[in-house]
PDB file of all heavy atoms in Angstrom:
ATOM      1  N   TYR A  18     -19.895   4.029   6.919  1.00 23.00           N
ATOM      2  CA  TYR A  18     -21.146   3.630   6.284  1.00 23.00           C
ATOM      3  C   TYR A  18     -21.464   2.174   6.619  1.00 23.00           C
ATOM      4  O   TYR A  18     -22.534   1.850   7.111  1.00 23.00           O
ATOM      5  CB  TYR A  18     -20.990   3.809   4.778  1.00 23.00           C
ATOM      6  CG  TYR A  18     -22.269   3.788   4.009  1.00 23.00           C
ATOM      7  CD1 TYR A  18     -23.408   4.419   4.486  1.00 23.00           C
ATOM      8  CD2 TYR A  18     -22.335   3.148   2.787  1.00 23.00           C
ATOM      9  CE1 TYR A  18     -24.578   4.402   3.765  1.00 23.00           C
ATOM     10  CE2 TYR A  18     -23.498   3.127   2.059  1.00 23.00           C
ATOM     11  CZ  TYR A  18     -24.624   3.761   2.564  1.00 23.00           C
ATOM     12  OH  TYR A  18     -25.788   3.744   1.836  1.00 23.00           O
ATOM     13  N   ASP A  25     -27.482  -0.516  12.544  1.00 30.00           N
ATOM     14  CA  ASP A  25     -28.901  -0.259  12.339  1.00 30.00           C
ATOM     15  C   ASP A  25     -29.679  -1.551  12.145  1.00 30.00           C
ATOM     16  O   ASP A  25     -30.731  -1.750  12.727  1.00 30.00           O
ATOM     17  CB  ASP A  25     -29.095   0.609  11.097  1.00 30.00           C
ATOM     18  CG  ASP A  25     -28.963   2.079  11.459  1.00 30.00           C
ATOM     19  OD1 ASP A  25     -28.918   2.384  12.667  1.00 30.00           O
ATOM     20  OD2 ASP A  25     -28.902   2.882  10.537  1.00 30.00           O
ATOM     21  N   VAL A  40     -41.067   1.077   5.415  1.00 91.00           N
ATOM     22  CA  VAL A  40     -40.841   2.067   4.364  1.00 91.00           C
ATOM     23  C   VAL A  40     -40.388   3.382   4.979  1.00 91.00           C
ATOM     24  O   VAL A  40     -39.405   3.997   4.539  1.00 91.00           O
ATOM     25  CB  VAL A  40     -42.114   2.256   3.506  1.00 91.00           C
ATOM     26  CG1 VAL A  40     -41.922   3.377   2.492  1.00 91.00           C
ATOM     27  CG2 VAL A  40     -42.475   0.950   2.799  1.00 91.00           C
ATOM     28  N   ARG A  41     -41.062   3.808   6.035  1.00 92.00           N
ATOM     29  CA  ARG A  41     -40.686   5.059   6.709  1.00 92.00           C
ATOM     30  C   ARG A  41     -39.285   4.955   7.301  1.00 92.00           C
ATOM     31  O   ARG A  41     -38.494   5.904   7.262  1.00 92.00           O
ATOM     32  CB  ARG A  41     -41.684   5.393   7.830  1.00 92.00           C
ATOM     33  CG  ARG A  41     -43.000   5.908   7.279  1.00 92.00           C
ATOM     34  CD  ARG A  41     -43.958   6.313   8.400  1.00 92.00           C
ATOM     35  NE  ARG A  41     -45.286   6.582   7.859  1.00 92.00           N
ATOM     36  CZ  ARG A  41     -45.607   7.717   7.237  1.00 92.00           C
ATOM     37  NH1 ARG A  41     -44.719   8.678   7.109  1.00 92.00           N
ATOM     38  NH2 ARG A  41     -46.833   7.887   6.751  1.00 92.00           N
ATOM     39  N   ALA A  42     -38.988   3.778   7.856  1.00 87.00           N
ATOM     40  CA  ALA A  42     -37.677   3.584   8.471  1.00 87.00           C
ATOM     41  C   ALA A  42     -36.561   3.667   7.423  1.00 87.00           C
ATOM     42  O   ALA A  42     -35.516   4.266   7.659  1.00 87.00           O
ATOM     43  CB  ALA A  42     -37.631   2.233   9.181  1.00 87.00           C
ATOM     44  N   ILE A  43     -36.823   3.091   6.272  1.00 86.00           N
ATOM     45  CA  ILE A  43     -35.830   3.164   5.177  1.00 86.00           C
ATOM     46  C   ILE A  43     -35.559   4.618   4.830  1.00 86.00           C
ATOM     47  O   ILE A  43     -34.411   5.063   4.750  1.00 86.00           O
ATOM     48  CB  ILE A  43     -36.345   2.404   3.925  1.00 86.00           C
ATOM     49  CG1 ILE A  43     -36.352   0.892   4.174  1.00 86.00           C
ATOM     50  CG2 ILE A  43     -35.493   2.730   2.700  1.00 86.00           C
ATOM     51  CD1 ILE A  43     -37.107   0.086   3.107  1.00 86.00           C
ATOM     52  N   SER A  44     -36.633   5.355   4.662  1.00 91.00           N
ATOM     53  CA  SER A  44     -36.516   6.754   4.284  1.00 91.00           C
ATOM     54  C   SER A  44     -35.779   7.551   5.366  1.00 91.00           C
ATOM     55  O   SER A  44     -34.949   8.411   5.074  1.00 91.00           O
ATOM     56  CB  SER A  44     -37.907   7.332   4.047  1.00 91.00           C
ATOM     57  OG  SER A  44     -37.812   8.623   3.507  1.00 91.00           O
ATOM     58  N   LYS A  45     -36.075   7.233   6.612  1.00 89.00           N
ATOM     59  CA  LYS A  45     -35.464   7.942   7.734  1.00 89.00           C
ATOM     60  C   LYS A  45     -33.970   7.652   7.802  1.00 89.00           C
ATOM     61  O   LYS A  45     -33.147   8.552   8.001  1.00 89.00           O
ATOM     62  CB  LYS A  45     -36.148   7.511   9.038  1.00 89.00           C
ATOM     63  CG  LYS A  45     -35.809   8.427  10.202  1.00 89.00           C
ATOM     64  CD  LYS A  45     -36.663   8.144  11.423  1.00 89.00           C
ATOM     65  CE  LYS A  45     -36.157   8.975  12.597  1.00 89.00           C
ATOM     66  NZ  LYS A  45     -36.015   8.173  13.806  1.00 89.00           N
ATOM     67  N   LYS A  46     -33.624   6.379   7.631  1.00 83.00           N
ATOM     68  CA  LYS A  46     -32.208   5.991   7.662  1.00 83.00           C
ATOM     69  C   LYS A  46     -31.416   6.740   6.618  1.00 83.00           C
ATOM     70  O   LYS A  46     -30.254   7.050   6.797  1.00 83.00           O
ATOM     71  CB  LYS A  46     -32.088   4.491   7.407  1.00 83.00           C
ATOM     72  CG  LYS A  46     -31.891   3.669   8.655  1.00 83.00           C
ATOM     73  CD  LYS A  46     -31.657   2.238   8.278  1.00 83.00           C
ATOM     74  CE  LYS A  46     -32.874   1.410   8.631  1.00 83.00           C
ATOM     75  NZ  LYS A  46     -32.814   0.080   8.065  1.00 83.00           N
ATOM     76  N   LYS A  47     -32.071   7.013   5.500  1.00 85.00           N
ATOM     77  CA  LYS A  47     -31.381   7.707   4.426  1.00 85.00           C
ATOM     78  C   LYS A  47     -31.518   9.215   4.564  1.00 85.00           C
ATOM     79  O   LYS A  47     -31.083   9.959   3.683  1.00 85.00           O
ATOM     80  CB  LYS A  47     -31.928   7.234   3.075  1.00 85.00           C
ATOM     81  CG  LYS A  47     -31.702   5.746   2.855  1.00 85.00           C
ATOM     82  CD  LYS A  47     -32.293   5.252   1.562  1.00 85.00           C
ATOM     83  CE  LYS A  47     -31.349   5.405   0.395  1.00 85.00           C
ATOM     84  NZ  LYS A  47     -30.192   4.503   0.436  1.00 85.00           N
ATOM     85  N   ASN A  48     -32.125   9.606   5.676  1.00 90.00           N
ATOM     86  CA  ASN A  48     -32.235  11.028   5.990  1.00 90.00           C
ATOM     87  C   ASN A  48     -32.929  11.817   4.882  1.00 90.00           C
ATOM     88  O   ASN A  48     -32.506  12.894   4.482  1.00 90.00           O
ATOM     89  CB  ASN A  48     -30.814  11.562   6.232  1.00 90.00           C
ATOM     90  CG  ASN A  48     -30.858  12.858   7.008  1.00 90.00           C
ATOM     91  OD1 ASN A  48     -31.867  13.147   7.672  1.00 90.00           O
ATOM     92  ND2 ASN A  48     -29.800  13.640   6.919  1.00 90.00           N
ATOM     93  N   GLU A  49     -33.997  11.242   4.361  1.00 94.00           N
ATOM     94  CA  GLU A  49     -34.655  11.846   3.206  1.00 94.00           C
ATOM     95  C   GLU A  49     -35.631  12.950   3.623  1.00 94.00           C
ATOM     96  O   GLU A  49     -36.209  12.893   4.709  1.00 94.00           O
ATOM     97  CB  GLU A  49     -35.419  10.768   2.419  1.00 94.00           C
ATOM     98  CG  GLU A  49     -34.486   9.824   1.674  1.00 94.00           C
ATOM     99  CD  GLU A  49     -35.197   8.667   0.993  1.00 94.00           C
ATOM    100  OE1 GLU A  49     -36.412   8.479   1.226  1.00 94.00           O
ATOM    101  OE2 GLU A  49     -34.521   7.946   0.239  1.00 94.00           O
ATOM    102  N   PRO A  50     -35.823  13.902   2.713  1.00 95.00           N
ATOM    103  CA  PRO A  50     -36.820  14.955   2.999  1.00 95.00           C
ATOM    104  C   PRO A  50     -38.238  14.363   3.010  1.00 95.00           C
ATOM    105  O   PRO A  50     -38.464  13.269   2.492  1.00 95.00           O
ATOM    106  CB  PRO A  50     -36.647  15.933   1.838  1.00 95.00           C
ATOM    107  CG  PRO A  50     -35.942  15.165   0.762  1.00 95.00           C
ATOM    108  CD  PRO A  50     -35.136  14.113   1.437  1.00 95.00           C
ATOM    109  N   MET A  53     -39.989  12.969  -0.123  1.00 96.00           N
ATOM    110  CA  MET A  53     -39.502  11.664  -0.570  1.00 96.00           C
ATOM    111  C   MET A  53     -40.157  10.551   0.248  1.00 96.00           C
ATOM    112  O   MET A  53     -40.587   9.528  -0.295  1.00 96.00           O
ATOM    113  CB  MET A  53     -37.975  11.646  -0.418  1.00 96.00           C
ATOM    114  CG  MET A  53     -37.293  10.503  -1.116  1.00 96.00           C
ATOM    115  SD  MET A  53     -37.404  10.575  -2.916  1.00 96.00           S
ATOM    116  CE  MET A  53     -38.142   8.988  -3.205  1.00 96.00           C
ATOM    117  N   ARG A  57     -42.613   7.539  -1.148  1.00 96.00           N
ATOM    118  CA  ARG A  57     -42.412   6.117  -0.898  1.00 96.00           C
ATOM    119  C   ARG A  57     -43.658   5.480  -0.263  1.00 96.00           C
ATOM    120  O   ARG A  57     -44.097   4.406  -0.677  1.00 96.00           O
ATOM    121  CB  ARG A  57     -41.232   5.908   0.065  1.00 96.00           C
ATOM    122  CG  ARG A  57     -39.857   6.101  -0.551  1.00 96.00           C
ATOM    123  CD  ARG A  57     -38.818   5.865   0.534  1.00 96.00           C
ATOM    124  NE  ARG A  57     -37.434   6.088   0.126  1.00 96.00           N
ATOM    125  CZ  ARG A  57     -36.644   5.160  -0.419  1.00 96.00           C
ATOM    126  NH1 ARG A  57     -37.097   3.952  -0.640  1.00 96.00           N
ATOM    127  NH2 ARG A  57     -35.411   5.440  -0.745  1.00 96.00           N
ATOM    128  N   TYR A  88     -33.559  -3.820   2.952  1.00 57.00           N
ATOM    129  CA  TYR A  88     -32.459  -3.006   3.476  1.00 57.00           C
ATOM    130  C   TYR A  88     -32.494  -1.611   2.875  1.00 57.00           C
ATOM    131  O   TYR A  88     -32.892  -1.444   1.735  1.00 57.00           O
ATOM    132  CB  TYR A  88     -31.111  -3.636   3.137  1.00 57.00           C
ATOM    133  CG  TYR A  88     -30.918  -5.021   3.677  1.00 57.00           C
ATOM    134  CD1 TYR A  88     -30.228  -5.955   2.933  1.00 57.00           C
ATOM    135  CD2 TYR A  88     -31.411  -5.390   4.913  1.00 57.00           C
ATOM    136  CE1 TYR A  88     -30.035  -7.230   3.423  1.00 57.00           C
ATOM    137  CE2 TYR A  88     -31.232  -6.654   5.407  1.00 57.00           C
ATOM    138  CZ  TYR A  88     -30.549  -7.582   4.661  1.00 57.00           C
ATOM    139  OH  TYR A  88     -30.360  -8.834   5.135  1.00 57.00           O
ATOM    140  N   SER A  89     -32.038  -0.701   3.638  1.00 42.00           N
ATOM    141  CA  SER A  89     -31.977   0.655   3.103  1.00 42.00           C
ATOM    142  C   SER A  89     -30.628   0.924   2.450  1.00 42.00           C
ATOM    143  O   SER A  89     -30.471   1.866   1.707  1.00 42.00           O
ATOM    144  CB  SER A  89     -32.217   1.659   4.216  1.00 42.00           C
ATOM    145  OG  SER A  89     -31.242   1.486   5.219  1.00 42.00           O
ATOM    146  N   ALA A  90     -29.650   0.092   2.761  1.00 47.00           N
ATOM    147  CA  ALA A  90     -28.320   0.323   2.196  1.00 47.00           C
ATOM    148  C   ALA A  90     -27.918  -0.870   1.339  1.00 47.00           C
ATOM    149  O   ALA A  90     -28.380  -1.975   1.557  1.00 47.00           O
ATOM    150  CB  ALA A  90     -27.313   0.509   3.311  1.00 47.00           C
ATOM    151  N   PRO A  91     -27.069  -0.633   0.362  1.00 42.00           N
ATOM    152  CA  PRO A  91     -26.622  -1.747  -0.469  1.00 42.00           C
ATOM    153  C   PRO A  91     -25.900  -2.787   0.365  1.00 42.00           C
ATOM    154  O   PRO A  91     -25.295  -2.478   1.388  1.00 42.00           O
ATOM    155  CB  PRO A  91     -25.645  -1.110  -1.450  1.00 42.00           C
ATOM    156  CG  PRO A  91     -25.847   0.341  -1.333  1.00 42.00           C
ATOM    157  CD  PRO A  91     -26.437   0.621  -0.008  1.00 42.00           C
ATOM    158  N   PRO A 155     -24.813   8.945  -6.958  1.00 85.00           N
ATOM    159  CA  PRO A 155     -25.846   8.041  -6.449  1.00 85.00           C
ATOM    160  C   PRO A 155     -27.140   8.828  -6.217  1.00 85.00           C
ATOM    161  O   PRO A 155     -27.088   9.996  -5.815  1.00 85.00           O
ATOM    162  CB  PRO A 155     -25.281   7.553  -5.120  1.00 85.00           C
ATOM    163  CG  PRO A 155     -23.822   7.756  -5.228  1.00 85.00           C
ATOM    164  CD  PRO A 155     -23.623   8.943  -6.109  1.00 85.00           C
ATOM    165  N   ILE A 156     -28.261   8.192  -6.464  1.00 90.00           N
ATOM    166  CA  ILE A 156     -29.530   8.919  -6.368  1.00 90.00           C
ATOM    167  C   ILE A 156     -29.797   9.365  -4.927  1.00 90.00           C
ATOM    168  O   ILE A 156     -30.412  10.411  -4.698  1.00 90.00           O
ATOM    169  CB  ILE A 156     -30.689   8.086  -6.971  1.00 90.00           C
ATOM    170  CG1 ILE A 156     -31.866   9.017  -7.293  1.00 90.00           C
ATOM    171  CG2 ILE A 156     -31.098   6.928  -6.069  1.00 90.00           C
ATOM    172  CD1 ILE A 156     -32.840   8.437  -8.288  1.00 90.00           C
ATOM    173  N   SER A 157     -29.273   8.598  -3.957  1.00 88.00           N
ATOM    174  CA  SER A 157     -29.468   9.009  -2.561  1.00 88.00           C
ATOM    175  C   SER A 157     -28.787  10.351  -2.295  1.00 88.00           C
ATOM    176  O   SER A 157     -29.302  11.185  -1.567  1.00 88.00           O
ATOM    177  CB  SER A 157     -28.939   7.938  -1.614  1.00 88.00           C
ATOM    178  OG  SER A 157     -27.574   7.691  -1.884  1.00 88.00           O
ATOM    179  N   GLU A 158     -27.625  10.566  -2.906  1.00 89.00           N
ATOM    180  CA  GLU A 158     -26.939  11.853  -2.759  1.00 89.00           C
ATOM    181  C   GLU A 158     -27.687  12.948  -3.500  1.00 89.00           C
ATOM    182  O   GLU A 158     -27.778  14.083  -3.042  1.00 89.00           O
ATOM    183  CB  GLU A 158     -25.517  11.775  -3.308  1.00 89.00           C
ATOM    184  CG  GLU A 158     -24.528  11.203  -2.328  1.00 89.00           C
ATOM    185  CD  GLU A 158     -23.128  11.078  -2.934  1.00 89.00           C
ATOM    186  OE1 GLU A 158     -22.744  11.955  -3.733  1.00 89.00           O
ATOM    187  OE2 GLU A 158     -22.456  10.088  -2.613  1.00 89.00           O
ATOM    188  N   ILE A 160     -30.804  13.180  -3.999  1.00 95.00           N
ATOM    189  CA  ILE A 160     -31.994  13.586  -3.250  1.00 95.00           C
ATOM    190  C   ILE A 160     -31.615  14.680  -2.237  1.00 95.00           C
ATOM    191  O   ILE A 160     -32.374  15.615  -2.005  1.00 95.00           O
ATOM    192  CB  ILE A 160     -32.636  12.362  -2.555  1.00 95.00           C
ATOM    193  CG1 ILE A 160     -33.266  11.447  -3.615  1.00 95.00           C
ATOM    194  CG2 ILE A 160     -33.680  12.782  -1.522  1.00 95.00           C
ATOM    195  CD1 ILE A 160     -33.661  10.065  -3.116  1.00 95.00           C
ATOM    196  N   GLN A 161     -30.401  14.553  -1.688  1.00 94.00           N
ATOM    197  CA  GLN A 161     -29.925  15.558  -0.737  1.00 94.00           C
ATOM    198  C   GLN A 161     -29.440  16.821  -1.444  1.00 94.00           C
ATOM    199  O   GLN A 161     -29.731  17.930  -1.028  1.00 94.00           O
ATOM    200  CB  GLN A 161     -28.763  15.000   0.107  1.00 94.00           C
ATOM    201  CG  GLN A 161     -29.033  13.669   0.787  1.00 94.00           C
ATOM    202  CD  GLN A 161     -30.130  13.736   1.844  1.00 94.00           C
ATOM    203  OE1 GLN A 161     -30.403  14.808   2.388  1.00 94.00           O
ATOM    204  NE2 GLN A 161     -30.778  12.622   2.108  1.00 94.00           N
ATOM    205  N   VAL A 189     -39.321   0.988  -1.676  1.00 89.00           N
ATOM    206  CA  VAL A 189     -38.169   0.531  -0.883  1.00 89.00           C
ATOM    207  C   VAL A 189     -36.818   0.689  -1.571  1.00 89.00           C
ATOM    208  O   VAL A 189     -35.812   0.173  -1.073  1.00 89.00           O
ATOM    209  CB  VAL A 189     -38.338  -0.959  -0.473  1.00 89.00           C
ATOM    210  CG1 VAL A 189     -39.614  -1.153   0.318  1.00 89.00           C
ATOM    211  CG2 VAL A 189     -38.303  -1.874  -1.690  1.00 89.00           C
ATOM    212  N   PHE A 190     -36.740   1.420  -2.693  1.00 89.00           N
ATOM    213  CA  PHE A 190     -35.478   1.413  -3.430  1.00 89.00           C
ATOM    214  C   PHE A 190     -34.300   1.806  -2.544  1.00 89.00           C
ATOM    215  O   PHE A 190     -34.405   2.679  -1.689  1.00 89.00           O
ATOM    216  CB  PHE A 190     -35.551   2.252  -4.698  1.00 89.00           C
ATOM    217  CG  PHE A 190     -35.536   3.733  -4.522  1.00 89.00           C
ATOM    218  CD1 PHE A 190     -34.338   4.413  -4.357  1.00 89.00           C
ATOM    219  CD2 PHE A 190     -36.721   4.460  -4.535  1.00 89.00           C
ATOM    220  CE1 PHE A 190     -34.317   5.792  -4.214  1.00 89.00           C
ATOM    221  CE2 PHE A 190     -36.703   5.834  -4.392  1.00 89.00           C
ATOM    222  CZ  PHE A 190     -35.514   6.513  -4.220  1.00 89.00           C
ATOM    223  N   SER A 191     -33.213   1.076  -2.748  1.00 80.00           N
ATOM    224  CA  SER A 191     -32.058   1.254  -1.873  1.00 80.00           C
ATOM    225  C   SER A 191     -31.175   2.396  -2.362  1.00 80.00           C
ATOM    226  O   SER A 191     -30.897   3.335  -1.637  1.00 80.00           O
ATOM    227  CB  SER A 191     -31.267  -0.047  -1.815  1.00 80.00           C
ATOM    228  OG  SER A 191     -31.357  -0.740  -3.034  1.00 80.00           O
ATOM    229  N   ASP A 192     -30.737   2.279  -3.599  1.00 80.00           N
ATOM    230  CA  ASP A 192     -29.955   3.362  -4.183  1.00 80.00           C
ATOM    231  C   ASP A 192     -29.936   3.174  -5.679  1.00 80.00           C
ATOM    232  O   ASP A 192     -30.656   2.326  -6.205  1.00 80.00           O
ATOM    233  CB  ASP A 192     -28.531   3.387  -3.618  1.00 80.00           C
ATOM    234  CG  ASP A 192     -27.993   4.823  -3.577  1.00 80.00           C
ATOM    235  OD1 ASP A 192     -28.489   5.661  -4.350  1.00 80.00           O
ATOM    236  OD2 ASP A 192     -27.093   5.088  -2.774  1.00 80.00           O
ATOM    237  N   GLY A 193     -29.086   3.910  -6.366  1.00 84.00           N
ATOM    238  CA  GLY A 193     -29.041   3.826  -7.809  1.00 84.00           C
ATOM    239  C   GLY A 193     -28.294   5.028  -8.317  1.00 84.00           C
ATOM    240  O   GLY A 193     -27.489   5.614  -7.590  1.00 84.00           O
ATOM    241  N   PHE A 222     -32.925  -3.285  -4.986  1.00 84.00           N
ATOM    242  CA  PHE A 222     -33.937  -2.435  -5.627  1.00 84.00           C
ATOM    243  C   PHE A 222     -33.252  -1.163  -6.099  1.00 84.00           C
ATOM    244  O   PHE A 222     -33.151  -0.193  -5.375  1.00 84.00           O
ATOM    245  CB  PHE A 222     -35.067  -2.129  -4.648  1.00 84.00           C
ATOM    246  CG  PHE A 222     -35.747  -3.371  -4.156  1.00 84.00           C
ATOM    247  CD1 PHE A 222     -35.461  -3.902  -2.903  1.00 84.00           C
ATOM    248  CD2 PHE A 222     -36.665  -4.033  -4.964  1.00 84.00           C
ATOM    249  CE1 PHE A 222     -36.080  -5.051  -2.465  1.00 84.00           C
ATOM    250  CE2 PHE A 222     -37.289  -5.189  -4.527  1.00 84.00           C
ATOM    251  CZ  PHE A 222     -36.996  -5.703  -3.273  1.00 84.00           C
TER     252      PHE A 222
END
Side-chain angles (χ1 to χ4, degrees):
Chain A
Y18 195 41
D25 274 350
V40 175
R41 285 183 190 282
I43 290 168
S44 188
K45 194 170 173 227
K46 260 185 252 169
K47 298 177 87 70
N48 199 20
E49 288 174 351
M53 193 67 236
R57 285 180 183 272
Y88 301 144
S89 59
I156 199 160
S157 57
E158 277 177 36
I160 290 167
Q161 308 295 336
V189 302
F190 74 83
S191 32
D192 211 336
F222 301 101

